[in-house]
Coordinates of all heavy atoms in Angstrom, one line a residue:
F8 N 8.9 9.8 15.1 CA 9.8 10.9 15.3 C 10.8 10.6 16.4 O 10.4 10.2 17.5 CB 9.0 12.2 15.5 CG 8.2 12.6 14.4 CD1 6.8 12.3 14.4 CD2 8.7 13.2 13.3 CE1 6.0 12.6 13.3 CE2 7.9 13.6 12.2 CZ 6.6 13.3 12.2
S10 N 12.6 12.8 18.1 CA 12.6 13.9 19.0 C 11.2 14.2 19.5 O 10.2 14.0 18.7 CB 13.2 15.1 18.3 OG 13.0 16.3 19.0
P11 N 11.0 14.7 20.7 CA 9.7 15.1 21.1 C 9.2 16.4 20.5 O 8.1 16.8 20.7 CB 9.9 15.3 22.6 CG 11.3 15.5 22.9 CD 12.0 14.8 21.7
E12 N 10.0 17.0 19.6 CA 9.6 18.2 18.9 C 9.4 17.9 17.5 O 10.2 17.2 16.9 CB 10.6 19.3 19.1 CG 10.8 19.8 20.5 CD 11.8 20.9 20.6 OE1 12.1 21.6 19.6 OE2 12.3 21.1 21.7
L13 N 8.3 18.4 16.9 CA 8.1 18.2 15.5 C 9.1 19.0 14.7 O 9.5 20.1 15.0 CB 6.7 18.8 15.1 CG 5.5 18.0 15.8 CD1 4.2 18.7 15.4 CD2 5.5 16.6 15.3
P14 N 9.6 18.4 13.6 CA 10.7 19.0 12.8 C 10.1 20.3 12.1 O 9.0 20.2 11.6 CB 11.1 18.0 11.8 CG 10.2 16.8 12.0 CD 9.3 17.0 13.2
L17 N 8.5 19.8 8.7 CA 7.4 18.8 8.6 C 6.3 19.2 7.6 O 5.9 18.4 6.8 CB 6.8 18.6 10.0 CG 5.7 17.5 10.0 CD1 6.3 16.2 9.7 CD2 5.0 17.5 11.3
C33 N 1.4 8.5 11.9 CA 2.3 8.8 13.0 C 2.2 7.8 14.1 O 1.1 7.6 14.6 CB 2.1 10.2 13.5 SG 3.3 10.6 14.9
P36 N 2.3 9.0 18.9 CA 2.5 10.5 19.2 C 2.2 10.8 20.6 O 2.7 11.8 21.2 CB 1.5 11.2 18.2 CG 0.4 10.2 18.0 CD 1.1 8.9 18.0
E37 N 1.4 10.0 21.3 CA 1.0 10.2 22.7 C 2.2 10.1 23.6 O 2.2 10.7 24.7 CB -0.1 9.2 23.1 CG 0.4 7.8 23.4 CD 0.6 7.0 22.1 OE1 0.4 7.5 21.0 OE2 0.9 5.8 22.3
M39 N 5.3 11.2 22.7 CA 6.3 12.2 22.4 C 5.8 13.6 22.4 O 6.5 14.5 22.5 CB 6.8 11.9 21.0 CG 7.4 10.5 20.8 SD 7.9 10.1 19.2 CE 6.3 10.1 18.3
F40 N 4.5 13.8 22.1 CA 4.0 15.1 21.8 C 2.9 15.6 22.8 O 2.2 14.8 23.4 CB 3.4 15.2 20.4 CG 4.4 14.8 19.4 CD1 4.1 13.7 18.6 CD2 5.6 15.4 19.2 CE1 5.0 13.3 17.6 CE2 6.4 15.0 18.2 CZ 6.2 14.0 17.4
R41 N 2.8 16.9 22.8 CA 1.6 17.5 23.5 C 0.4 17.4 22.6 O 0.5 17.1 21.4 CB 1.9 18.9 23.8 CG 3.1 19.2 24.6 CD 3.5 20.6 24.6 NE 3.3 21.1 23.2 CZ 4.1 22.0 22.7 NH1 5.0 22.6 23.4 NH2 3.9 22.4 21.4
M42 N -0.8 17.6 23.1 CA -2.0 17.5 22.4 C -2.0 18.4 21.2 O -2.4 18.1 20.1 CB -3.2 17.7 23.3 CG -4.5 17.3 22.7 SD -4.5 15.5 22.5 CE -5.4 15.5 21.0
E43 N -1.4 19.6 21.4 CA -1.3 20.6 20.3 C -0.5 20.0 19.1 O -0.8 20.3 17.9 CB -0.6 21.9 20.8 CG -1.3 22.6 21.9 CD -0.9 22.0 23.3 OE1 0.3 21.8 23.6 OE2 -1.8 21.7 24.1
D44 N 0.5 19.2 19.4 CA 1.3 18.6 18.3 C 0.5 17.6 17.6 O 0.7 17.4 16.4 CB 2.6 18.1 18.9 CG 3.5 19.2 19.4 OD1 3.5 20.3 18.8 OD2 4.3 18.9 20.3
V45 N -0.3 16.8 18.3 CA -1.1 15.8 17.7 C -2.1 16.5 16.7 O -2.3 16.0 15.6 CB -1.8 14.9 18.7 CG1 -2.8 13.9 18.0 CG2 -0.9 14.2 19.6
L46 N -2.7 17.6 17.2 CA -3.6 18.3 16.3 C -2.9 18.9 15.1 O -3.4 18.8 14.0 CB -4.2 19.5 17.1 CG -5.2 19.1 18.2 CD1 -5.6 20.3 19.1 CD2 -6.5 18.5 17.6
R47 N -1.7 19.3 15.3 CA -0.9 19.8 14.1 C -0.6 18.7 13.1 O -0.6 18.9 11.9 CB 0.4 20.5 14.6 CG 1.1 21.3 13.6 CD 2.1 22.2 14.2 NE 3.2 22.3 13.3 CZ 4.5 22.2 13.6 NH1 4.8 22.1 14.8 NH2 5.4 22.3 12.7
L48 N -0.3 17.5 13.6 CA 0.0 16.4 12.8 C -1.3 16.1 11.9 O -1.2 15.8 10.7 CB 0.4 15.1 13.6 CG 1.8 15.2 14.1 CD1 2.0 14.1 15.2 CD2 2.8 15.0 13.0
R49 N -2.4 16.0 12.6 CA -3.7 15.8 11.8 C -3.9 16.8 10.8 O -4.3 16.6 9.7 CB -4.9 15.7 12.8 CG -5.1 14.4 13.5 CD -5.3 13.2 12.5 NE -6.6 13.4 11.8 CZ -6.7 13.2 10.5 NH1 -5.7 12.8 9.7 NH2 -7.9 13.4 9.9
E50 N -3.7 18.1 11.2 CA -3.9 19.2 10.2 C -3.0 19.1 9.0 O -3.4 19.6 7.9 CB -3.7 20.6 10.9 CG -4.8 20.9 11.9 CD -4.5 22.1 12.8 OE1 -3.4 22.6 12.7 OE2 -5.3 22.4 13.7
T51 N -1.8 18.6 9.2 CA -0.9 18.4 8.0 C -1.1 17.2 7.3 O -0.4 16.9 6.3 CB 0.6 18.6 8.5 OG1 0.9 17.5 9.5 CG2 0.9 19.9 9.1
F53 N -1.5 13.8 8.6 CA -1.2 12.5 9.2 C -2.4 11.8 9.8 O -3.3 12.4 10.4 CB -0.2 12.7 10.4 CG 1.2 12.8 10.0 CD1 1.7 14.1 9.6 CD2 2.1 11.8 10.0 CE1 3.0 14.2 9.2 CE2 3.4 11.9 9.6 CZ 3.9 13.1 9.2
I55 N -3.4 9.0 12.8 CA -2.8 8.8 14.1 C -2.9 7.3 14.6 O -4.0 6.8 14.5 CB -3.4 9.7 15.2 CG1 -3.2 11.2 14.7 CG2 -2.9 9.5 16.6 CD1 -1.8 11.7 14.6
V73 N -3.1 12.0 26.9 CA -3.1 12.4 25.5 C -3.8 11.3 24.7 O -4.6 11.7 23.7 CB -1.7 12.6 24.9 CG1 -1.7 12.8 23.4 CG2 -1.1 13.9 25.6
C77 N -7.1 12.1 22.4 CA -7.1 11.7 21.0 C -8.4 10.9 20.7 O -9.1 11.1 19.6 CB -5.9 10.9 20.6 SG -4.4 11.8 20.4
R80 N -11.6 13.2 20.8 CA -11.7 14.1 19.7 C -11.8 13.4 18.3 O -11.8 14.1 17.3 CB -10.5 15.1 19.7 CG -10.4 16.0 20.9 CD -9.2 16.8 20.8 NE -9.0 17.6 22.0 CZ -8.3 18.8 22.0 NH1 -7.8 19.2 20.9 NH2 -8.2 19.5 23.1
L82 N -9.4 11.7 16.8 CA -8.2 11.9 16.1 C -7.4 10.6 15.8 O -6.6 10.6 15.0 CB -7.3 12.9 16.9 CG -7.8 14.3 17.2 CD1 -6.8 15.0 18.1 CD2 -8.0 15.0 15.9

Side-chain angles (χ1 to χ4, degrees):
F8 297 98
S10 166
E12 294 183 23
L13 295 175
L17 183 67
C33 181
E37 74 283 0
M39 304 176 294
F40 304 119
R41 303 168 316 215
M42 197 62 218
E43 302 84 50
D44 292 327
V45 176
L46 289 168
R47 195 164 144 225
L48 286 167
R49 277 298 297 136
E50 289 168 1
T51 58
F53 279 83
I55 302 298
V73 171
C77 284
R80 295 178 184 206
L82 299 175

